[in-house]
Each structure stands twice: as structure tokens, then as C-alpha cells.
Amino acid sequence: MADSKCTIRTRKFLTNRLLNRKQMVVDVLHPGRSNVPKSELREKLAKMYKVQDAKQVVLFGFRTAFGGLKSTGFCMIYDNMNMLKKYEPVYRLRRVGLAEKAQGSRKQRKERKNRAKKIRGAKKYKKPGQEKKK
């Protein structure tokens, strides 16, 4: 069942020159499958639109129609990786694997931010070997 075919159709195609991308609505017909992985769709769309790197294709917002068989979502294909990193939100870059998640717990990040707010001027972070003046 997992090896059955899926058909990809695009509509509302728009070339957005200001953001250096092509954007479109993607309809995926997948009879016999519950849904199709985004990685597979990314590869097929990259081949369809002759993109050199499949990571330039960003897919999001997919909804499966009631009863299955069809999913609809949004696709953006950037002209190059620099424009992708410049215009895409960080959470989508993390999904594609182009950005790292912040280290440490949320509480640690917030405490560090609040400690830095209390210090005034350019000396926000401690340098190793720096001593307090009395």
C-alpha cells in the first residue's frame, strides 16, 4: 500500500520576484495511502520544476480532505539558498534542517535574557578571567 502512486497538481502559480521565489497551491491525490511524506513531495516538486537542491522547496499547511484520497497545501520554491534563509521564518528553516534549535531549557534562556537586561552598557556578558573592581 505504501508504494502506491501519488499525483501532484499545482494551481494558483505565482512568480514572486520581490522575494525571489515561485509560490503555488499543491494538490496531492493519493488513493490507497493515508497521506504522503513532505520529503517525497519535496523531491518530486524539485524534479518537476528543475531545482538543483530539493531543500529550496518549502512545503507547509497540508490538510487531508475528509475521507482521504486528497491533500492540499502550499509550496514555495526559492531561487537560491541565500534567499530561502533570508525570507523564511526560523521555525520552517528548522523543519527543513537549515537552522538549529536553541540549546538549553526555556527557563535558562529567559533567566539569561533577564540578567543581561539588568546590566547596562556594552559589557553584557562575562569574559573569562575578568575580575570585579572594588
Side-chain angles (χ1 to χ4, degrees):
M1 270 190 131
D3 60 341
S4 62
K5 298 283 181 183
C6 71
T7 307
I8 300 175
R9 290 193 186 127
T10 59
R11 58 189 169 91
K12 296 188 179 178
F13 182 88
L14 176 74
T15 303
N16 191 333
R17 283 290 122 216
L18 289 173
L19 298 176
N20 296 303
R21 69 185 182 201
K22 301 175 195 95
Q23 51 197 50
M24 65 205 84
V25 174
V26 178
D27 292 325
V28 184
L29 301 171
H30 46 88
R33 296 173 83 168
S34 57
N35 51 25
V36 186
K38 285 183 190 170
S39 57
E40 185 181 324
L41 292 176
R42 186 178 294 121
E43 294 293 329
K44 286 188 176 190
L45 283 165
K47 193 180 291 182
M48 236 165 99
Y49 285 95
K50 298 176 179 74
V51 180
Q52 64 262 24
D53 188 7
K55 286 192 174 184
Q56 289 175 228
V57 180
V58 180
L59 299 163
F60 62 95
F62 276 83
R63 293 279 173 234
T64 305
F66 180 74
L69 302 178
K70 181 182 175 183
S71 298
T72 303
F74 204 74
C75 172
M76 293 187 287
I77 303 172
Y78 283 88
D79 294 347
N80 55 45
M81 293 300 281
N82 292 337
M83 293 301 132
L84 171 74
K85 290 177 182 174
K86 183 176 180 182
Y87 293 121
E88 272 301 296
V90 177
Y91 74 94
R92 278 197 220 134
L93 290 175
R94 282 193 204 116
R95 286 180 189 172
V96 179
L98 296 173
E100 292 294 318
K101 191 174 181 185
Q103 295 296 318
S105 69
R106 182 179 168 146
K107 187 173 182 180
Q108 286 174 333
R109 290 193 307 257
K110 286 186 169 205
E111 286 174 352
R112 183 173 179 218
K113 173 192 64 114
N114 289 331
R115 278 196 306 269
K117 282 196 308 190
K118 291 176 186 172
I119 301 169
R120 194 181 159 128
K123 194 173 67 174
K124 291 274 186 192
Y125 301 101
K126 260 191 203 176
K127 294 176 187 169
Q130 191 176 14
E131 294 181 22
K132 255 185 160 179
K133 291 182 181 178
K134 290 186 182 181

